[in-house]
Amino acid sequence: DNQRLKPTLILNETYILRELIYALQGVDGKIFQKDPKDMQTMILKVEMEKPVRMMVMRYLESGWFYGRLRRFLATYNNNPSAGLVLQAFCAYISTELKEYHRLLAVLESQLGDKDEGTECSNITLRRLSVWLEQPLERLKFLNIICDAVKDKKGGILLSTIFTYSKYGDANKAALVKSGLAKCAIPIRDMIIEWICDGQIRDIHEEFFVAFNNSIPNERLWHDKYNLRISQIPSFLSEDQAKKILIIGKSINFLRVICNEQKQIKAVTNIPSIESMLEQKTDTQFQDLIDQAYIDTSSYLIEILLKKYKLLDHFNSLRKYLLLGQGDFIRHLMDLMESELNKKAQELMFPNLQRLLDKAVTETNAQFEPSYIISRLDVRLLPPSPNDMGWDVFSLDYTMDGPLKTVFNSTIIQRYLRIFNFLWRVKRMEYITCSLWSSYKSDAEKLRKMPEIYEIIHQSNIIRSEMIRLVQNLNFYIMFEVLEVSWKNLCEQLDNSKDMDDVISANEQFLNTIITQLLLDENSKEIAKELRTIFDLIVKMSDLSEQFHKIALSEYEARKEFKEKCTDDMDEDQKTALDNMERKRYHGEVKPKIRNAKHQLQLLKNSFSEMVKNLLEALKNHPNESLRFLSFRFNFNEYYY
Amino acid sequence: NPEKFESECEINKLTLSLQEDMIVDDLLNCMTGFEGKFIKTPSLSDRHADRTFHIERSLDPAMRELAKRILPVCSHYSTIIRFVEEKSEFKWGLVNHALCAAIRELLKNHYVFICQLENLQRKGNLSLQKLWYYVNPIMGFMEILASIIKVINKGDCCGSTVIDILYEKVLAYSGDPKLQELIFYLAQTSSRPYFQMLQDWIYKGQINDPYNEFMISEDKDITKEKLKEDFNEKFWEKKYSINAQNIPKFLANLSEKILLTGKYFNSIQETGSILGKNLNSNELIPFDASSNNRSQRKKINFPDQVEINFTIKEDTYKNVVENAYNFSSKILLNLLLKDHKLIDRLRSLKHYFLLDQSDFMVHFMDISEDELNKTSSEIRLNKIESLLEVSLRITSANSDPYKDDLRCRLLLTDLKSMVMKIQGFAQKNDSESGGDKLKALKGLEAFVLDYSIKWPLSLIINKKTLFKYQILFRHLFLMKYVERQLLNVWLCTKSGELCLGRSYPYYSLACALRQRMLNFVQNFLNYMTFEVIESSWSTFEENLKEVENIDNVIEHHAKFLDTCLRDCIITNDSFLLIQKILSECIMFSVFVQGVTKNIKEKEETSQSEWKSMTLKEAQELRRKTLQEIGEDLNKIVSDDAFAASIKGFDDKFSKLLLEFLAKIINDMSNGLGETKIGNVLYRLDFNDHYRNQIEKLRLTSSIINIS
């Protein structure tokens, strides 16, 4: 009995094993065939003893995993929409499968060999467990990853694999890492090409730098290239990604906008994939990025400074648009005054340009190099009805080439807005001062008419209050706002490492100025009040001027009267003349004086009212320096 | 041929040798996790249950008995393989993954062993007896492994708990070197990911912990940027914290140090920009200055890193951790001392809070007195701020580069409750009743300086230490204020003296009282500033020269502050007495100033009239005003009410002062004599003026005590 049973079992086993090895590769045989229902799982066509069946089913598991990987490859291998990274991943999976094939081939070849001493073959069903244990684990693990990376591409795919590489079993972690290293090659190559040549070849949108060809060159720096945040592989920090973006952007900027064709950085030794994945231990990749970043950015900054004289332009913006060049501005105002007093619609553009040229040639501005002064121009803002020349006039500074990236039209627009405000404040100072000088020249004459002088005195008081306000405001603007922010700007420009730093420094500069000059959204109400105060000052100037004229003509009239009253006149004549004079005075002049007095009083009241409002608003302003401005205005608590 | 197999179920019909052959085959199957023909297993009740086996009853009884003895191995195998399958899943964490990998490695040997047995069987060489003999040695190991697994399964353990369990088992089996070696292998492999994390943390300050297994947890929401708006020390306290569940027991003692080590590394890296510029001269950190900061930051690594491996010698861990700790602490200390000029910072703090070289304070009091006399709700903080700035800029404080960090605030709580807080009296009732006190708080009581400190100096000067500085400041400020008030009283009374002479008893009593008060306040101020603050400061600075790490600095700093607080009698019961004395002084000066207000005004008006007069007229006027003042004063002074209140002030002040002095004597005899408190006594009573009275007081109080 014993003799009879054994051979059948052995025969059966060899047979089963052969069939099994086919089945492990998904090939149908006599015993194992694919389930017609799903064409994936293998089913037994022959009934077996239960232990053998269990064993066989267990081994078929790896066949099942193998089949899934094959199907994965079939889906993506020749799929044009699958990205480069997924292709690399498929290549990696097929090398893994090749290993598996090799194993099965070895097993098959051993199947025939007889173990010495026994009649049975080298391979038994049980021994298969030793052979298949590890491949099964690997296939299983690869399947998990395949499920996870399905339909993903580029950086997202890499990030996914990277999370799976954090596994406590060192062998499996190494398995994933070797796969990851292969998959990361396309992205690594894209990074290298980008930071060396600024080129992107990325039809599947896998790279984390995206570009948009429809953006005009003018906006190249701002909008053409962007980060696809989701595509940044998780083994790169966002910081690195930003640097990488800036490097390539700088290269393109230099090439397209600055016409610099010099190759800045040639990567001689391409960093290993491992240095990209294992940044904790290997700094090669990080060093490359850092070096390339420093090289390109500093080269770009150098070009901007040396070839395009960036700092000079900053400086001249400060001088002309931010009224830094005092003599020029003063002279310009002198020249333009009569012109700008006209209605906005009546302004002659060429006239203004001529006056500007005149102001340039007659002041220190003439010593500026021509590449700066030629950019200075006049611009008229679109007028609204009732606007005076003052309201629409503005200096302009034209920019071109790379400068246009730093000073794009919105930036220039903001500079113009600031200029408009500063020009207005300057004008207020100008008006109040010229009031004083016109008064001063006639002071002696006016003093002789006490009832008129009283009003002049009144207006003098108001004027000096106004002067104080305007001068304090001016001081605040010039010293606390402009000079301080200018100093900060210079510091930031000095420390700028790349173009973005320059742009953001400029933007920050403008932002602080705009906030501190009450030009931003938050201060709209306060700005309106300030505007009303300015209007009052203009009104005051008109009023005083009118009254000044009245006073002078009255002086002349009296002088005439006195000349008429000669001693040789008789009483009657004298009385008649006197009556006439009195009639003239009471009929014509006195109402005027009364009117002027009344108006002055009104003006005074509304002025101090407005100043109080302004102070109140400033006191609660969120910006600290503006709060201090209120102390400056009200240092002796005159207003409350 | 299926039918044939079915019929074989009747095993008792076979020969014994065939029976044996079959059962050995079955056992081999069971040992690799398959059911046999005659050994069946019912399905499991739950996933962690033991697998049980049923052997065909008709089997030869002896063989059945022997087979039963072998069956536990099969059961253990089942437990083990189920564990490996389950815990290999990602969610169970790195330690479990590693443990599974280690067990798999062991199972490989097991499979090879089974194959060898099969080989013997095929050769017809494996009887049941032999099988029993071969299986015996692996039995013990399988059992232990299964028992470990059961413990792990029971608690769904992962991370450090698993390591703990293995650690205990290693210790528990120290009698059996072979078993211990095996468990040691398991422990070593499975703890490797954990130690990798530990290394990353103590050598680089990084956390790579995807499954939250590590003992330090990081709050990623807290960043340095947010910190600037928020509290300074929040970063230090909350960004990294110890997760007590995740500490392996053998590292429990070291957990604090481990936390600090990584934190220091982090704080060094957070302040990287400064590092790059100024640390070139620092030899401690080996990096080159040419490349930019960010890459440098990465390079601050511990120079001689050791790979940490599982061991049962706890000293090994201790050495490793301490080395790393000392290193990081030293670097951070250097950073603070050299780059952030810690000592200069502290000196600047001392200028402002402890009124050292504080001419600015006098000036500030001059210009802000009116404002500070209002109640705190009426005061505009802006104004006080600008006044403070003015006084900083026009006095010697202008040369201090850190003066811009000084701020001022108006607090809602008074000094007393601040002191209570620091002494640990959390008195809820007090804070409730404090509600109505708040409104009454005067500007000068609410006024306090503040100092904005940036990372990483906030390690040393944080809100807690600043709080102590503020207490000292408020105390000193109050003293200064009282001194000032008393000097004002002097001004008032001086002109009165001119016209009255000293013949009026209560008037001169008032003057004498003022003098005693002044004596008290000035001496006490002297004592605090010179004897306490200056001397502890110089000790502190001496100590700072020898510090080794951050902890030492924090320790010395705390000691300095505590000494100051203690010796300035702030953290002492007598503090309330001092407060009372001071408020008595204030009340007195307010009273006298109120009384002499008219006189002062008169004098001022007459003085303004002089300007337009000739000398003679002025002298005349002066005499007249003096006379008028004299009459006024005479009227007030000879009033009984005045006498009564002066006497009242005198009694109260003397009583409080005596009480205070007696208390000091008492404290000294109670062992507080080592402190400098005694010096107060010698200062205040240098000529034994109060001595007899104190003796009397003590006598009466002791009599009361006895009775």
Side-chain angles (χ1 to χ4, degrees):
Chain A
D1 246 347
N2 198 354
Q3 289 300 328
R4 204 171 41 103
L5 194 73
K6 254 188 185 166
T8 51
L9 195 79
I10 290 162
L11 195 88
N12 265 342
E13 190 175 13
T14 323
Y15 185 59
I16 292 170
L17 276 171
R18 173 151 287 134
E19 290 279 306
L20 186 62
I21 286 172
Y22 283 114
L24 286 181
Q25 304 178 60
V27 180
D28 284 355
K30 277 185 186 144
I31 305 181
F32 307 102
Q33 279 175 13
K34 285 197 198 80
D35 188 348
K37 270 181 246 159
D38 59 0
M39 292 305 283
Q40 291 182 13
T41 44
M42 286 283 182
I43 50 171
L44 297 186
K45 280 292 174 193
V46 185
E47 206 142 339
M48 297 180 195
E49 272 178 287
K50 199 178 175 194
V52 179
R53 197 172 70 228
M54 278 175 76
M55 236 181 261
V56 165
M57 289 311 274
R58 163 100 176 269
Y59 297 141
L60 280 179
E61 209 183 345
S62 37
W64 189 73
F65 284 129
Y66 168 81
R68 291 200 67 199
L69 290 181
R70 292 262 307 193
R71 278 191 295 284
F72 180 83
L73 285 185
T75 324
Y76 291 108
N77 224 352
N78 292 317
N79 191 341
S81 72
L84 298 181
V85 179
L86 192 56
Q87 282 174 30
F89 183 69
C90 287
Y92 165 69
I93 294 283
S94 34
T95 54
E96 278 295 316
L97 290 189
K98 218 182 266 169
E99 282 298 310
Y100 182 66
H101 290 153
R102 192 211 306 274
L103 173 77
L104 293 183
V106 171
L107 286 180
E108 221 229 336
S109 73
Q110 292 206 358
L111 207 55
D113 297 350
K114 296 282 181 201
D115 201 9
E116 46 183 295
T118 53
E119 298 107 278
C120 58
S121 77
N122 228 343
I123 308 282
T124 66
L125 271 174
R126 267 199 201 100
R127 278 190 196 183
L128 217 50
S129 71
V130 180
W131 287 94
L132 283 180
E133 161 72 13
Q134 225 170 1
L136 176 66
E137 284 300 316
R138 280 170 92 92
L139 290 178
K140 206 165 153 185
F141 210 69
L142 288 178
N143 257 290
I144 295 173
I145 297 170
C146 281
D147 285 345
V149 302
K150 216 162 36 186
D151 296 329
K152 289 181 179 158
K153 56 185 176 183
I156 302 175
L157 199 155
L158 291 181
S159 303
T160 315
I161 303 180
F162 186 65
T163 42
Y164 282 95
S165 75
K166 288 175 186 163
Y167 192 75
D169 181 345
N171 289 332
K172 281 180 199 162
L175 173 76
V176 184
K177 272 179 192 153
S178 72
L180 182 59
K182 289 198 176 106
C183 297
I185 290 175
I187 296 292
R188 196 259 324 252
D189 292 347
M190 282 183 201
I191 293 176
I192 299 292
E193 190 167 14
W194 169 247
I195 64 175
C196 293
D197 302 323
Q199 298 288 336
I200 298 182
R201 251 176 294 176
D202 179 22
I203 39 172
H204 300 292
E205 302 193 342
E206 293 173 287
F207 193 33
F208 52 85
V209 179
F211 73 108
N212 184 349
N213 251 338
S214 63
I215 300 289
N217 281 342
E218 198 178 299
R219 301 285 303 167
L220 179 136
W221 183 268
H222 296 276
D223 295 333
K224 192 160 184 174
Y225 302 97
N226 281 311
L227 277 186
R228 287 193 193 104
I229 298 291
S230 63
Q231 288 285 29
I232 301 172
S234 48
F235 46 81
L236 294 185
S237 64
E238 200 165 319
D239 205 69
Q240 283 175 328
K242 273 183 193 149
K243 265 191 186 169
I244 290 171
L245 173 72
I246 287 179
I247 296 169
K249 214 157 71 168
S250 305
I251 292 174
N252 278 304
F253 186 79
L254 281 167
R255 190 169 297 155
V256 178
I257 311 286
C258 306
N259 279 324
E260 289 290 322
Q261 301 301 343
K262 188 184 135 193
Q263 171 96 17
I264 301 150
K265 175 88 185 167
V267 175
T268 43
N269 49 339
I270 291 170
S272 67
I273 287 290
E274 283 69 28
S275 71
M276 196 161 92
L277 301 179
E278 303 283 336
Q279 297 207 19
K280 269 190 292 173
T281 50
D282 193 342
T283 57
Q284 197 190 358
F285 181 74
Q286 173 78 43
D287 291 346
L288 175 82
I289 298 293
D290 285 343
Q291 202 52 48
Y293 171 76
I294 291 172
D295 289 350
T296 43
S297 297
S298 53
Y299 183 61
L300 175 58
I301 297 277
E302 195 186 301
I303 290 283
L304 282 179
L305 291 183
K306 296 228 169 101
K307 190 167 161 194
Y308 292 97
K309 312 244 184 293
L310 185 71
L311 282 185
D312 290 358
H313 291 297
F314 265 116
N315 207 2
S316 58
L317 278 176
R318 168 171 167 255
K319 276 185 182 164
Y320 300 110
L321 289 193
L322 305 184
L323 313 193
Q325 184 81 28
D327 62 331
F328 169 77
I329 295 298
R330 172 78 202 191
H331 195 60
L332 188 69
M333 205 167 254
D334 280 340
L335 291 175
M336 296 237 171
E337 194 194 1
S338 57
E339 192 72 19
L340 292 181
N341 272 331
K342 291 179 186 165
K343 281 229 153 51
Q345 285 89 344
E346 293 164 13
L347 286 183
M348 301 286 281
F349 193 69
N351 267 354
L352 294 176
Q353 273 179 325
R354 194 176 45 77
L355 289 174
L356 174 70
D357 289 344
K358 199 161 175 244
V360 168
T361 46
E362 286 170 0
T363 58
N364 276 325
Q366 61 180 302
F367 303 115
E368 291 279 2
S370 67
Y371 63 83
I372 280 178
I373 211 67
S374 63
R375 290 170 190 268
L376 204 58
D377 201 357
V378 172
R379 190 193 286 202
L380 293 179
L381 308 174
S384 49
N386 295 332
D387 265 358
M388 300 293 289
W390 292 103
D391 297 317
V392 294
F393 170 77
S394 174
L395 281 182
D396 194 8
Y397 198 82
T398 40
M399 293 287 183
D400 54 9
L403 293 174
K404 243 189 165 153
T405 302
V406 184
F407 304 101
N408 57 31
S409 57
T410 45
I411 294 281
I412 289 292
Q413 205 69 45
R414 295 171 82 187
Y415 270 108
L416 293 188
R417 248 182 94 202
I418 297 171
F419 172 81
N420 188 275
F421 180 78
L422 296 176
W423 183 248
R424 200 185 297 276
V425 176
K426 203 77 196 162
R427 182 179 163 230
M428 291 305 133
E429 198 184 11
Y430 188 85
I431 289 176
T432 44
C433 290
S434 61
L435 260 187
W436 178 83
S437 59
S438 72
Y439 151 77
K440 209 63 192 170
S441 58
D442 296 322
E444 278 310 305
K445 292 178 191 169
L446 298 175
R447 246 187 239 281
K448 287 176 184 155
M449 302 178 287
E451 73 276 20
I452 287 175
Y453 186 74
E454 185 199 328
I455 293 168
I456 297 274
H457 181 66
Q458 270 301 321
S459 73
N460 269 344
I461 290 173
I462 304 175
R463 193 208 60 227
S464 46
E465 200 178 324
M466 285 172 172
I467 286 188
R468 209 185 66 79
L469 182 90
V470 170
Q471 283 180 340
N472 264 319
L473 184 65
N474 223 344
F475 179 85
Y476 162 77
I477 291 170
M478 284 306 174
F479 287 86
E480 297 194 13
V481 182
L482 292 182
E483 281 307 311
V484 172
S485 6
W486 173 255
K487 187 168 170 278
N488 290 342
L489 175 71
C490 288
E491 264 170 30
Q492 284 189 15
L493 287 179
D494 260 0
N495 294 332
S496 289
K497 289 203 204 72
D498 58 46
M499 185 90 159
D500 274 343
D501 289 349
V502 173
I503 291 174
S504 76
N506 190 21
E507 236 155 62
Q508 211 180 323
F509 174 63
L510 285 173
N511 282 344
T512 25
I513 293 182
I514 281 185
T515 340
Q516 299 196 350
L517 293 190
L518 299 166
L519 296 175
D520 61 345
E521 281 300 309
N522 295 335
S523 317
K524 248 185 175 164
E525 287 304 309
I526 306 184
K528 222 185 253 169
E529 266 158 34
L530 201 60
R531 190 72 192 261
T532 334
I533 289 177
F534 289 167
D535 287 346
L536 283 175
I537 292 176
V538 175
K539 203 170 153 199
M540 164 74 193
S541 135
D542 292 347
L543 211 62
S544 314
E545 217 166 287
Q546 279 169 22
F547 189 73
H548 201 82
K549 269 183 206 146
I550 294 171
L552 281 185
S553 69
E554 173 66 13
Y555 178 77
E556 290 303 322
R558 285 187 192 186
K559 208 167 131 190
E560 205 178 313
F561 168 71
K562 252 183 206 161
E563 275 164 11
K564 274 185 198 159
C565 295
T566 40
D567 289 341
D568 51 320
M569 277 161 107
D570 61 17
E571 275 307 302
D572 284 354
Q573 266 180 317
K574 244 182 186 168
T575 349
L577 212 61
D578 231 30
N579 280 342
M580 232 170 73
E581 172 67 15
R582 198 164 290 152
K583 205 172 160 193
R584 185 193 62 82
Y585 177 72
H586 284 286
E588 290 172 27
V589 186
K590 203 149 183 211
K592 279 186 190 162
I593 295 177
R594 207 180 300 133
N595 185 25
K597 199 172 173 179
H598 181 64
Q599 284 199 352
L600 264 182
Q601 196 55 45
L602 272 182
L603 195 91
K604 188 181 175 181
N605 289 347
S606 51
F607 181 74
S608 67
E609 181 78 10
M610 292 315 295
V611 173
K612 270 181 200 166
N613 286 351
L614 179 73
L615 286 180
E616 200 56 43
L618 282 178
K619 218 171 73 184
N620 299 322
H621 199 277
N623 191 304
E624 192 183 32
S625 63
L626 279 167
R627 282 206 299 273
F628 281 122
L629 178 62
S630 103
F631 293 131
R632 183 182 287 288
F633 282 148
N634 192 23
F635 76 103
N636 54 359
E637 306 198 331
Y638 170 79
Y639 290 102
Y640 50 81
Chain B
N1 199 343
E3 291 88 47
K4 196 184 166 198
F5 289 116
E6 287 302 319
S7 68
E8 272 186 5
C9 274
E10 309 243 332
I11 196 166
N12 50 357
K13 287 180 185 158
L14 299 174
T15 60
L16 270 185
S17 77
L18 208 52
Q19 274 188 32
E20 188 175 2
D21 219 18
M22 297 296 251
I23 208 72
V24 166
D25 200 44
D26 270 5
L27 280 172
L28 287 183
N29 274 341
C30 288
M31 273 193 274
T32 44
F34 303 113
E35 228 175 11
K37 273 177 278 189
F38 303 104
I39 303 176
K40 303 281 178 193
T41 167
S43 55
L44 292 170
S45 54
D46 83 282
R47 65 194 166 98
H48 291 154
D50 281 343
R51 192 170 278 285
T52 51
F53 296 91
H54 294 303
I55 306 172
E56 182 67 38
R57 287 181 182 283
S58 50
L59 187 69
D60 177 70
M63 267 190 239
R64 195 159 174 258
E65 198 50 42
L66 201 54
K68 252 188 194 166
R69 290 196 186 167
I70 298 174
L71 277 178
V73 176
C74 311
S75 175
H76 295 325
Y77 172 79
S78 164
T79 313
I80 292 164
I81 196 75
R82 270 179 283 143
F83 175 81
V84 171
E85 296 285 338
E86 185 190 342
K87 303 287 170 170
S88 294
E89 282 172 38
F90 276 88
K91 64 172 179 181
W92 292 103
L94 299 180
V95 173
N96 274 325
H97 300 164
L99 178 61
C100 289
I103 296 176
R104 261 181 220 285
E105 210 52 47
L106 295 176
L107 284 182
K108 240 182 241 168
N109 294 339
H110 179 71
Y111 293 138
V112 172
F113 170 67
I114 298 293
C115 287
Q116 283 165 352
L117 290 180
E118 191 198 23
N119 222 3
L120 282 178
Q121 185 210 11
R122 297 266 156 124
K123 282 176 188 161
N125 229 343
L126 188 69
S127 62
L128 198 55
Q129 278 297 347
K130 256 191 184 163
L131 182 63
W132 170 235
Y133 168 74
Y134 283 125
V135 166
N136 223 349
I138 67 165
M139 199 108 158
F141 166 66
M142 293 288 254
E143 195 180 333
I144 290 164
L145 196 52
S147 74
I148 292 173
I149 282 167
K150 271 177 208 153
V151 178
I152 295 175
N153 274 339
K154 204 172 168 189
D156 276 342
C157 305
C158 35
S160 63
T161 335
V162 175
I163 300 176
D164 269 346
I165 292 168
L166 290 169
Y167 182 74
E168 274 166 28
K169 292 283 174 192
V170 171
L171 293 184
Y173 286 92
S174 48
D176 186 341
K178 228 174 185 179
L179 279 182
Q180 196 191 20
E181 197 185 327
L182 271 168
I183 304 169
F184 190 82
Y185 163 73
L186 288 180
Q188 198 174 36
T189 321
S190 60
S191 60
R192 199 160 283 149
Y194 194 90
F195 284 123
Q196 186 58 48
M197 286 188 259
L198 183 65
Q199 267 165 264
D200 284 349
W201 174 249
I202 62 170
Y203 292 147
K204 294 167 199 156
Q206 294 171 337
I207 289 189
N208 300 303
D209 181 17
Y211 299 100
N212 290 329
E213 293 169 288
F214 192 47
M215 58 197 283
I216 313 287
S217 49
E218 178 184 12
D219 190 342
K220 289 209 165 117
D221 291 341
I222 300 175
T223 60
K224 204 178 65 169
E225 283 68 35
K226 278 188 192 166
L227 198 75
K228 277 176 193 155
E229 300 146 22
D230 228 330
F231 275 129
N232 282 324
E233 74 269 35
K234 200 179 168 192
F235 184 84
W236 192 232
E237 299 289 332
K238 302 223 170 125
K239 168 108 189 173
Y240 300 102
S241 51
I242 292 185
N243 195 342
Q245 296 167 338
N246 287 345
I247 309 173
K249 289 207 179 79
F250 50 88
L251 290 180
N253 294 334
L254 295 170
S255 59
E256 270 303 315
K257 278 233 159 102
I258 292 173
L259 176 71
L260 289 179
T261 310
K263 263 187 186 176
Y264 290 158
F265 269 112
N266 269 300
S267 49
I268 296 162
Q269 282 167 14
E270 291 275 345
T271 50
S273 55
I274 304 149
L275 262 180
K277 275 183 190 160
N278 299 340
L279 260 188
N280 306 346
S281 56
N282 193 337
E283 292 165 359
L284 255 175
I285 301 168
F287 54 44
D288 66 316
S290 55
S291 55
N292 83 332
N293 308 330
R294 198 162 282 280
S295 60
Q296 276 177 12
R297 287 215 251 151
K298 293 242 151 95
K299 284 179 192 163
I300 310 169
N301 282 339
F302 186 57
D304 25 64
Q305 299 188 4
V306 185
E307 193 175 339
I308 309 173
N309 269 321
F310 181 80
T311 162
I312 47 172
K313 289 182 196 129
E314 292 187 27
D315 277 359
T316 323
Y317 303 121
K318 201 176 162 196
N319 288 339
V320 169
V321 170
E322 292 219 324
N323 281 342
Y325 174 77
N326 288 338
F327 175 77
S328 67
S329 174
K330 211 172 210 170
I331 290 187
L332 187 61
L333 182 68
N334 257 305
L335 185 79
L336 283 178
L337 288 179
K338 292 200 176 141
D339 282 16
H340 292 274
K341 303 204 167 35
L342 177 69
I343 294 182
D344 287 359
R345 276 283 176 183
L346 289 170
R347 281 197 192 121
S348 143
L349 270 182
K350 187 169 161 246
H351 287 326
Y352 301 123
F353 285 86
L354 307 182
L355 307 185
D356 149 39
Q357 291 182 14
S358 59
D359 49 340
F360 88 96
M361 192 35 82
V362 177
H363 189 262
F364 175 69
M365 277 184 152
D366 276 342
I367 56 179
S368 67
E369 193 166 11
D370 292 344
E371 196 72 20
L372 284 179
N373 270 328
K374 296 177 188 165
T375 53
S376 62
S377 51
E378 287 171 357
I379 295 176
R380 290 208 311 277
L381 193 60
N382 284 341
K383 184 150 188 184
I384 300 278
E385 261 171 22
S386 59
L387 290 176
L388 181 68
E389 188 157 338
V390 167
S391 47
L392 283 180
R393 303 226 171 238
I394 63 173
T395 56
S396 68
N398 198 24
S399 57
D400 181 13
Y402 308 117
K403 62 178 176 295
D404 291 337
D405 290 330
L406 195 67
R407 306 266 177 285
C408 62
R409 301 211 290 146
L410 294 172
L411 295 184
L412 292 174
T413 51
D414 61 352
L415 178 56
K416 231 189 279 177
S417 50
M418 255 176 128
V419 173
M420 296 274 197
K421 221 183 201 172
I422 208 162
Q423 286 177 324
F425 297 124
Q427 284 168 331
K428 280 180 188 165
N429 303 338
D430 225 48
S431 62
E432 276 163 23
S433 65
D436 36 34
K437 265 191 222 158
L438 297 185
K439 283 156 209 153
L441 218 56
K442 266 167 86 180
L444 62 102
E445 290 172 298
F447 175 78
V448 75
L449 293 178
D450 203 351
Y451 203 79
S452 63
I453 281 282
K454 291 207 178 68
W455 184 260
L457 279 172
S458 49
L459 288 180
I460 309 287
I461 308 162
N462 52 26
K463 209 177 164 243
K464 231 159 142 188
T465 45
L466 215 52
F467 191 75
K468 289 182 182 171
Y469 274 108
Q470 283 174 342
I471 289 182
L472 280 166
F473 169 76
R474 281 177 96 166
H475 194 48
L476 289 165
F477 186 71
L478 187 66
M479 283 271 187
K480 276 269 176 216
Y481 175 76
V482 172
E483 184 193 6
R484 203 180 161 76
Q485 290 300 317
L486 289 171
L487 291 173
N488 276 341
V489 170
W490 180 84
L491 272 180
C492 296
T493 52
K494 206 65 201 166
S495 52
E497 269 175 38
L498 267 180
C499 44
L500 275 182
R502 301 181 184 204
S503 53
Y504 289 83
Y506 287 108
Y507 191 74
S508 48
L509 189 63
C511 293
L513 180 58
R514 186 212 66 224
Q515 192 53 47
R516 275 166 56 208
M517 285 176 171
L518 207 54
N519 188 38
F520 168 76
V521 171
Q522 284 178 334
N523 269 314
F524 203 82
L525 259 177
N526 258 338
Y527 161 72
M528 289 204 293
T529 46
F530 283 97
E531 298 191 22
V532 179
I533 294 173
E534 277 308 321
S535 74
S536 5
W537 173 263
S538 67
T539 340
F540 176 47
E541 250 187 58
E542 278 303 312
N543 286 337
L544 275 188
K545 280 177 195 155
E546 286 156 18
V547 285
E548 297 258 308
N549 54 32
I550 290 291
D551 286 345
N552 289 345
V553 180
I554 294 177
E555 203 178 295
H556 285 312
H557 193 212
K559 202 171 144 202
F560 162 67
L561 283 173
D562 287 340
T563 323
C564 286
L565 283 174
R566 189 194 60 200
D567 287 356
C568 290
I569 321 192
I570 289 172
T571 50
N572 188 312
D573 316 339
S574 319
F575 174 67
L576 290 181
L577 273 176
I578 299 177
Q579 287 282 303
K580 270 185 202 156
I581 294 175
L582 289 179
S583 67
E584 201 61 33
C585 294
I586 293 176
M587 266 149 66
F588 169 74
S589 62
V590 167
F591 172 74
V592 175
Q593 285 183 49
V595 166
T596 51
K597 199 169 143 206
N598 292 334
I599 301 168
K600 204 174 166 191
E601 273 167 14
K602 225 174 236 172
E603 189 150 328
E604 269 164 16
T605 45
S606 77
Q607 265 171 7
S608 60
E609 279 167 24
W610 291 354
K611 284 171 198 159
S612 51
M613 289 181 187
T614 60
L615 187 63
K616 214 173 178 187
E617 278 174 333
Q619 279 172 344
E620 185 63 29
L621 185 77
R622 171 94 179 127
R623 218 174 44 231
K624 232 173 85 188
T625 18
L626 277 182
Q627 205 169 3
E628 274 175 34
I629 292 171
E631 277 164 20
D632 285 351
L633 206 57
N634 195 1
K635 226 183 277 167
I636 300 164
V637 167
S638 46
D639 189 20
D640 282 347
F642 177 78
S645 25
I646 290 295
K647 191 141 180 11
F649 282 124
D650 197 345
D651 288 349
K652 226 169 171 188
F653 176 74
S654 311
K655 191 173 154 257
L656 287 170
L657 187 61
L658 284 176
E659 228 175 285
F660 174 61
L661 291 176
K663 184 95 184 29
I664 286 176
I665 294 172
N666 201 23
D667 282 352
M668 278 166 66
S669 56
N670 282 350
L672 285 171
E674 289 161 27
T675 65
K676 297 198 186 72
I677 296 178
N679 295 8
V680 188
L681 186 71
Y682 305 129
R683 259 179 191 278
L684 292 180
D685 194 21
F686 71 101
N687 54 359
D688 288 352
H689 176 74
Y690 295 109
R691 192 174 173 180
N692 295 333
Q693 285 157 302
I694 296 168
E695 284 303 317
K696 229 184 270 171
L697 192 77
R698 289 180 71 193
L699 223 57
T700 48
S701 66
S702 59
I703 288 165
I704 291 165
N705 280 345
I706 291 162
S707 65

